[in-house]
Each structure stands twice: as C-alpha cells, then as structure tokens.
Amino acid sequence: MGGEAAEMTIREKIEKMEQDTLSPYAMLSIHSRGREQEEQPCDVRPVFQRDRDRILHCKAFRRLKNKTQVFLTPKGDHYRTRLSHTLEVSQNARTIAKALRLNEDLVEAIALGHDLGHTPFGHAGEHVLNSLCKEGFRHNEQSVRIVEKLEKNGEGLNLTWEVRDGILNHQTRTMPHTLEGRIVRLSDKIAYINHDIDDAIRAQIMVKEDIPKELLKTLGDTTRERLNTLIHNIITNSMGRNDIVMSEEVEEAMHDLRRFMFEHVYKNPVAKGEEEKARGLLKQLYYYYMEHMELIPKKYTNMLYNGESRERVVCDYISGMTDQYAITKFEEFFLPQAWQVDGY
C-alpha cells in the first residue's frame, strides 16, 4: 500500500481527498463528464481547478475590470465593476460550498466565468445587441461562447461540461445540473442585490430608510447582516440535502428586496440617465461594423468561414469591448478629429 501511495500524483491525492471528505452530493473531479477535446491530465491540478485557472488567466476575465455593473462609467473608485461583482459572487459561493462540503474548485470556476459574456454598459448593452441581432443575444450564452469558441484566438478554453453548464444556467430562468452551479446561481443574486444597495446609497440614488422596514427586519439592517443572514440560511436549509435551498421566509424577503431594487435603482431615471446615450452609441457601432467588417480583427471575421453570421461576429466583437473602448471607437468613427500637420 505504501508503495502505491508514493506513486500517486499530487492530482490523484487531491482527488482521493475529495472522495474521502466531500459530501455524497458533491460533484467529484473524477466524475466530471470531461471536455469536448480530451486532454492529458495535469499531474498537480484536478480538472475543475484547472478550469478555474484558465478562466482567471483569459483576456475576457481581465476586461471585466472596465465593464459596468450598474452605474455607467462612474466617477469614483469604490463603485463595483463587473470584475468586483464577480469576485464577490465567488467569495459568497465558496463560503457556502465549504460549509456544505461541496466542490470549491467547481464553484469558483463557475463563479469566475459566469459574467465573461457581459457587454459594455451592463444590461443596457445586452438589451441593445439582443434587439439588433436576429439570432438574439444573452450574456450567459455569450459567456459560454467565449470559453468555447472565442478565447485563445478561436481555440476556446476547453472547459469541463460542469463548468460550462454552471455558467450557462446561472440566471433565474434556468437551473444548473450540479449543486455547485446552484450555489453560484443564488450567490450571484445575493451579491448584486447587496452591493447594488451599497453603490446606490453612495451615489445618493436612495437612502437606507427607503428600504421597507419588514425586509430589513427579516434580512438585516446592514450589508454585513444581510449577507450573514442569506448565506447562513442557505447553509442551514441545504445541509445534508441534494439541493440548494432557502427558507420560505428569507427567500421571499430576498425576492421582495430584488423587486424593490428594480423599481428604485435598476429602473431609476437618475441612475439610468446615461443609458439612452449608451444604447445609441452601441447601435451606431453595430451598424457601422456591419458595413465595415474589414475593421473587425481577423480572429473574429475568420469565424465567417465556419458558418457564423455577420450579425453574430459583430456581436462577438462589440460585446467584448470595455466601456471606454466602445466610447473610443465611437469617437473615432463619428466625431471629427483635430487636424494635425507638421510645422506651421
């Protein structure tokens, strides 16, 4: 036995530790459905840890730091971006997964990848591209498209099925097939509801006293208290179960708080005052690139030869832009530039 143990790779030891310590409901690395292209296993990292690393190092992940969460191009260092939101989702999800003895690597990979497909200017950009592209546009589907087809110059990241399933199904209307994916799905809502309250108060869009008192009584008076309530409630009600659930009272309060945020923040005319400009900007870019496909990098236009439509390729390119890059391209194409010549 000792000789056999000594011959095990680090990855195999970690996989064995998962088998010995994780919940019977956890998705074990050795039980993954695998990748579309089979690969030689890493000698150190199990498959989900490897996926986490690939997402962390990809270009689409780095661009999240300059993409809108709620407030468009805010002037202030402490407003959330799409990247800081992603990190908060990951932290919430890992806390829950650790407590329930589920697979933290899988949870983290899904969390880090769930918003890779978001457009510049947040959901306003998503709605524009969805209205313009005949094939439709949804950021969760685009996130999967990025990891399957767009990253690494069209090679994709070749992630496991479980990570791609969690990324695709992190929204309210769908349900992931793993408990780890379901944790991220709830952690996403917990994160954005609470940090958007914080940002809205900072932006003077609302004050804490605007939130219905009965919701604060159930969930907590501060961001810390609400996170504590929601995360503990999920852990308590999911312990020893093949599901990720909340108590009826707390779940209803969270949904009511989410509805409150839609009415008072996400649709607030002050907070959303610049969105019409952002929509107009992206529409102009979309139509311009449709007429000038030669201006789109070849790693995107090469996909035309694989049967992709012009609309899809233009959406791929625009959706990958950061807020500031989209503004810069708009100024380049539609605003007069200063005339420069040498000498006098």
Side-chain angles (χ1 to χ4, degrees):
M1 287 293 291
E4 290 179 12
E7 294 175 2
M8 292 175 67
T9 65
I10 294 173
R11 169 184 54 79
E12 289 169 334
K13 291 177 183 178
I14 295 173
E15 291 170 345
K16 178 66 165 58
M17 186 171 61
E18 286 184 1
Q19 291 177 276
D20 292 342
T21 61
L22 292 187
S23 162
Y25 305 117
M27 172 52 65
L28 301 181
S29 300
I30 59 171
H31 292 160
S32 171
R33 297 192 192 183
R35 311 178 187 279
E36 290 193 346
Q37 286 82 45
E38 193 170 340
E39 297 179 3
Q40 186 73 22
C42 176
D43 62 338
V44 173
R45 297 166 299 166
V47 289
F48 301 136
Q49 185 182 348
R50 205 174 184 187
D51 285 358
R52 187 273 314 274
D53 295 349
R54 290 180 182 185
I55 292 168
L56 187 66
H57 290 289
C58 77
K59 292 179 180 177
F61 183 80
R62 296 198 292 275
R63 291 196 297 269
L64 294 177
K65 70 180 183 291
N66 290 317
K67 289 195 176 192
T68 288
Q69 175 61 25
V70 171
F71 296 95
L72 271 62
T73 56
K75 294 182 179 178
D77 293 333
H78 300 125
Y79 291 96
R80 270 70 169 193
T81 65
R82 192 61 62 178
L83 178 59
S84 56
H85 161 73
T86 293
L87 296 177
E88 291 185 34
V89 173
S90 176
Q91 184 58 50
N92 293 341
R94 287 181 60 211
T95 298
I96 297 168
K98 184 185 286 289
L100 296 176
R101 294 189 298 118
L102 297 176
N103 196 314
E104 272 191 79
D105 290 336
L106 175 55
V107 157
E108 189 173 17
I110 295 169
L112 294 181
H114 83 282
D115 270 356
L116 293 178
H118 254 297
T119 63
F121 311 118
H123 286 285
E126 181 177 11
H127 295 154
V128 167
L129 295 185
N130 187 51
S131 69
L132 294 174
C133 182
K134 289 182 291 187
E135 300 169 26
F137 182 94
R138 293 183 176 86
H139 81 270
N140 58 316
E141 296 173 357
Q142 188 68 16
S143 297
V144 174
R145 184 170 169 80
I146 285 170
V147 301
E148 287 185 343
K149 295 185 177 182
L150 299 181
E151 271 293 330
K152 295 183 67 175
N153 295 318
E155 293 181 15
L157 302 180
N158 196 29
L159 304 182
T160 56
W161 182 90
E162 291 77 14
V163 172
R164 288 180 286 128
D165 169 75
I167 291 173
L168 179 65
N169 294 305
H170 76 270
Q171 292 192 292
T172 302
R173 64 177 182 272
T174 56
M175 186 64 72
H177 289 79
T178 64
L179 296 192
E180 288 82 0
R182 296 181 186 190
I183 288 175
V184 174
R185 180 176 175 271
L186 273 180
S187 297
D188 183 32
K189 296 171 182 60
I190 291 171
Y192 74 66
I193 290 170
N194 284 285
H195 65 51
D196 292 349
I197 290 174
D198 188 37
D199 283 355
I201 292 173
R202 177 175 291 108
Q204 300 181 0
I205 299 302
M206 58 174 278
V207 294
K208 187 185 73 175
E209 289 71 24
D210 292 331
I211 304 173
K213 288 183 174 58
E214 62 271 19
L215 297 183
L216 295 178
K217 183 178 179 181
T218 301
L219 298 176
D221 203 50
T222 65
T223 300
R224 178 178 178 275
E225 290 175 359
R226 288 189 293 273
L227 289 173
N228 191 59
T229 297
L230 291 162
I231 290 171
H232 273 79
N233 190 266
I234 292 172
I235 293 170
T236 300
N237 287 277
S238 304
M239 190 72 71
R241 298 179 62 177
N242 189 20
D243 202 359
I244 304 299
V245 294
M246 305 171 72
S247 69
E248 186 176 337
E249 179 189 17
V250 170
E251 184 175 26
E252 184 177 345
M254 186 183 75
H255 290 323
D256 287 344
L257 184 57
R258 183 172 179 267
R259 281 190 287 270
F260 169 85
M261 290 298 292
F262 268 95
E263 293 170 7
H264 293 81
V265 176
Y266 303 141
K267 297 180 181 179
N268 184 289
V270 177
K272 302 284 110 174
E274 297 298 300
E275 279 196 358
E276 280 305 314
K277 297 178 186 177
R279 290 190 183 98
L281 180 154
L282 291 179
K283 284 183 181 179
Q284 293 271 42
L285 285 180
Y286 179 87
Y287 291 131
Y288 192 81
Y289 281 118
M290 285 293 290
E291 295 296 323
H292 299 278
M293 296 289 288
E294 73 278 2
L295 298 176
I296 297 177
K298 288 191 180 297
K299 64 180 180 180
Y300 293 98
T301 55
N302 283 343
M303 300 186 73
L304 293 170
Y305 304 112
N306 296 328
E308 300 285 2
S309 67
R310 292 167 66 94
E311 290 90 347
R312 181 56 60 198
V313 169
V314 171
C315 282
D316 285 340
Y317 184 46
I318 292 177
S319 66
M321 294 179 176
T322 62
D323 294 14
Q324 188 53 56
Y325 189 76
I327 292 170
T328 298
K329 300 310 290 185
F330 179 85
E331 291 175 345
E332 178 184 330
F333 297 147
F334 299 107
L335 298 185
Q337 306 296 310
W339 185 262
Q340 296 180 349
V341 293
D342 294 330
Y344 296 95

